Amino acid sequence: MELPVLKIDGTDSGKKVVLDEKVFGIEPNDHAIYLDVVQYLANRRQGTAKTKDRSEIAHSTKKLGRQKGGGGARHGSLKANIFVGGGRVFGPKPRLYRFKLNKKQKALARYSALSYKAQENAIVLVEPFTMDAPKTKEFMHILEALKAGDRKVLFVLPENSNNIFLSSRNLPEVQVITVDELNTYTIMNANSMVLVDGVQDVLSARANR
């Protein structure tokens, strides 16, 4: 797949880039994408939800009534779950939701997600640029010129640029990350991607190791 490299004003720079088929042209594996996204979301969970069972409730241990002859069911404590203020039955306990996924499977999921974006023509290449200072309005003009869309744009840099990151921080529909932070979830969650020229070379080098 060949894409033109655009300038930040949206004009063609004259350079063409052929995307690596091993990264942007594979047959997408939906199950690998599913597993990687589930793992990403599971790893983000704190796992701190906790409720008290009847052994942890601070309540009187006095027996409510006599064992027999009361005309109702037997009760020994207000801590029972059927009473208001009683313990919770089978409530959540602190736990880890993390699970392991093989590196090759995660790579397959990532390349599958990138291949989906390539099939949808949702990838824009832009030549490297710098910003002298954080300017949100200037960054918005760049996005408008590139015609990357106005919803969920993923901007991928070959290396960290503090000014570009700060310029995008107040834009809720734009996420700026480096190529090292790229993962299946962020790719699938975006409607379109803007790759700074050089990112595709880093991804290709990793796929051909």
Side-chain angles (χ1 to χ4, degrees):
M1 181 180 182
E2 189 177 71
L3 288 179
V5 178
L6 304 179
K7 297 180 180 179
I8 57 174
D9 59 2
T11 59
D12 195 341
S13 68
K15 180 180 178 181
K16 302 283 187 181
V17 169
V18 178
L19 298 180
D20 192 341
E21 290 294 317
K22 293 182 179 179
V23 179
F24 298 92
I26 69 170
E27 181 67 30
N29 188 310
D30 292 340
H31 188 61
I33 292 175
Y34 164 77
L35 290 176
D36 201 11
V37 169
V38 168
Q39 189 211 31
Y40 176 84
L41 294 175
N43 290 352
R44 291 178 60 183
R45 296 185 68 172
Q46 288 183 321
T48 55
K50 170 73 169 66
T51 57
K52 292 183 178 181
D53 59 29
R54 63 185 298 169
S55 69
E56 299 168 310
I57 294 294
H59 241 316
S60 171
T61 57
K62 180 183 178 182
K63 188 171 174 62
L64 302 183
R66 58 183 184 172
Q67 181 79 350
K68 297 185 178 217
R74 301 169 292 181
H75 295 296
S77 172
L78 280 171
K79 296 181 181 181
N81 64 293
I82 63 174
F83 294 115
V84 174
R88 174 78 180 269
V89 178
F90 305 127
K93 302 290 183 182
R95 54 166 289 196
L96 288 177
Y97 289 89
R98 304 178 68 91
F99 65 92
K100 183 180 179 298
L101 207 59
N102 293 333
K103 288 183 180 180
K104 288 185 177 180
Q105 196 163 28
K106 290 178 70 68
L108 173 62
R110 191 162 54 250
Y111 299 149
S112 296
L114 289 169
S115 296
Y116 268 129
K117 286 293 181 281
Q119 291 175 10
E120 297 165 2
N121 294 318
I123 298 177
V124 177
L125 285 176
V126 62
E127 63 181 8
F129 67 97
T130 58
M131 299 183 71
D132 298 329
K135 296 287 185 181
T136 301
K137 187 177 291 187
E138 182 180 337
F139 189 77
M140 288 177 62
H141 290 326
I142 293 174
L143 289 176
E144 291 171 2
L146 295 175
K147 298 179 181 178
D150 57 356
R151 290 191 64 250
K152 292 190 177 180
V153 179
L154 181 63
F155 209 97
V156 188
L157 306 172
E159 57 186 16
N160 186 45
S161 174
N162 198 45
N163 287 337
I164 296 178
F165 172 75
L166 293 175
S167 298
S168 68
R169 191 165 58 173
N170 288 335
L171 302 175
E173 296 290 343
V174 179
Q175 183 180 8
V176 174
I177 62 174
T178 64
V179 65
D180 294 330
E181 300 170 311
L182 194 63
N183 60 72
T184 305
Y185 177 82
T186 55
I187 297 170
M188 296 302 294
N189 191 46
N191 289 345
S192 61
M193 296 179 63
V194 177
L195 306 183
V196 175
D197 189 20
V199 168
Q200 74 281 0
D201 295 330
V202 176
L203 294 172
S204 179
R206 291 177 181 174
N208 290 287
R209 283 176 182 172

